[in-house]
Structure formats: structure tokens, C-alpha cells
Amino acid sequence: MAEAGGLLSGGSERRCRERLAAAGAARRGAAAAAAAVLVPLCSVRGRPALLFTLRSRRLGGPHSGDVSFPGGKRDPADADAVATALRETREELGLELGAETVWGQLRPLPDRQGQLVAPVVANLGLLENLTLTPNPDEVEEIFTLPLAHLLREENQGYTHFRTAGRYSYTLPVFLNGPHRVWGLTAIVTEMTLELLAPDRYRRKTHMLSRSPSV
């Protein structure tokens, strides 16, 4: 596999911004998402990576202890999904990001409750230059996975589901990191890899019919 170092280059950023802008224009007029997450691209010791969080077990509920991206429900004061994602990132990680860091928005997709979640792609830059102050009530741990790791087939798994005794759909799982990446976070990770490396990553999953494609 070719080196993943160029995936956050200026040329890659321009291509991704153009693709996300075109997809966003095609979705204009669609229902607004009820929540948003930030998909935090970053560079760790010169290696392109994705930043993940482990949700605090203090939260309780079905999502406590899950691997996730920073995010949450849209506030009435939020102008759009980007505002929600940036606000939630500030509240969870103590990280103030400007709108210029945002590349665009991936296609919204439903969570377990059927509410639409908008993934907002942003580049944090060099992680070593940032000061993260995670809110312990929301975030138990922060970790990163290199994009090269996520693109290796040996680190990609899949869970097959059956409905009424029949094969129904397959969801991705990313393995061999500090924590298993699964659920909605894994789906968004897969969408991000398709965006960044369309010549290297091909989706192998079959989604639920109510879940929109990228």
C-alpha cells in the first residue's frame, strides 16, 4: 500500500473540500440533522491520523464507554451542524476550533434512535501543538489511530446481522488499536476513509436500507 502521508496534503484537502461541497449542494433543502459529530483529522509525529474519544462511564446510558467522535445534539442556538460540532468539541475537549479548519460535511446518517447525525470533517493540524483538556464528565480517554493503520485490511473487520433469519446488513469494525471502533463511529470512519483515499479504500459493507450512502 502506498504511504498515507499525502492524505492531509493541500491537494488532498482541496479535492475533499470540493467533493464535500458538491455533495452538500445536492442535499440542500433536506431535513436538518438532529445532532452532529466532529471527525477530527490530525497529524501525530508527522503521521496523518484520526482522533477518537472514549465516552465517560459517568454518562450512563447505552453510549457510555463507547468509542466516539466529539459531538452531540443540536442546540437551538446552533446555526447549523458545523456550529454544533464545533461547540461540542469545545465542551468535550476544551478545544476552540475556527471555521477555517472545517473541510465540509459528510452525508448525515441515522443513529440507533433513527435521528440524523451530521459528520463534520475538520483538520486539527499538528496534535503536538494543541492543548486538550477533556471534560471528565463526558470523556474518559482520547486516542488516535494513524490513517495507515485504518487502511490496512488486517485491521478491518465486519459484523454481519440477520433479520427474520435472513442476512440483512453488514457494519464495519476497526481492530487492533487501543479500543475497538464500531457502531456509528465505525461507519463514519469508513465514510472518511472513502473520502480521503478513494483509490485505496472500498466499502465492503451493506448498510441498512434506511441508512443513506455516502
Side-chain angles (χ1 to χ4, degrees):
M1 178 182 293
E3 188 61 43
L7 295 179
L8 301 186
S9 67
S12 177
E13 177 179 347
R14 285 190 295 274
R15 179 187 60 79
C16 291
R17 283 180 179 269
E18 289 171 1
R19 181 177 172 187
L20 292 170
R27 290 194 301 270
R28 197 163 291 146
V37 296
L38 192 84
V39 185
L41 301 168
C42 61
S43 179
V44 181
R45 294 184 291 277
R47 302 176 70 191
L50 265 176
L51 182 145
F52 298 88
T53 68
L54 194 67
R55 291 177 64 85
S56 174
R57 288 175 173 79
R58 299 182 189 180
L59 292 170
H63 300 296
S64 66
D66 284 358
V67 171
S68 66
F69 291 122
K73 292 183 179 179
R74 183 172 181 173
D75 188 276
D78 293 337
D80 52 22
V82 170
T84 299
L86 295 180
R87 174 183 55 77
E88 288 284 345
T89 300
R90 183 175 64 252
E91 293 174 359
E92 292 185 24
L93 303 182
L95 191 58
E96 189 78 45
L97 297 174
E100 71 278 359
T101 65
V102 175
W103 287 13
Q105 182 183 311
L106 294 166
R107 186 182 297 275
L109 64 166
D111 64 10
R112 298 177 194 175
Q113 289 73 45
Q115 293 186 320
L116 285 180
V117 178
V120 175
V121 180
N123 187 357
L124 310 185
L126 295 171
L127 197 63
E128 295 88 339
N129 292 345
L130 301 176
T131 300
L132 302 178
T133 53
N135 179 349
D137 289 329
E138 297 193 63
V139 177
E140 187 167 306
E141 182 182 335
I142 297 171
F143 68 97
T144 61
L145 288 173
L147 295 181
H149 172 98
L150 294 166
L151 286 167
R152 292 190 190 105
E153 287 197 12
E154 61 264 31
N155 299 324
Q156 300 164 7
Y158 302 91
T159 303
H160 302 283
F161 295 86
R162 289 178 173 271
T163 301
R166 291 187 173 186
Y167 167 80
S168 179
Y169 60 98
T170 306
L171 296 181
V173 182
F174 292 91
L175 308 166
N176 303 321
H179 303 283
R180 185 172 62 113
V181 181
W182 66 287
L184 189 71
T185 303
I187 297 171
V188 174
T189 298
E190 182 172 69
M191 293 165 65
T192 304
L193 294 176
E194 285 184 304
L195 172 73
L196 292 169
D199 58 335
R200 305 183 212 178
Y201 189 85
R202 291 289 186 274
R203 180 188 297 170
K204 306 176 186 70
T205 57
H206 171 62
M207 308 293 289
L208 284 165
S209 60
R210 68 184 177 90
S211 179
S213 60
V214 176

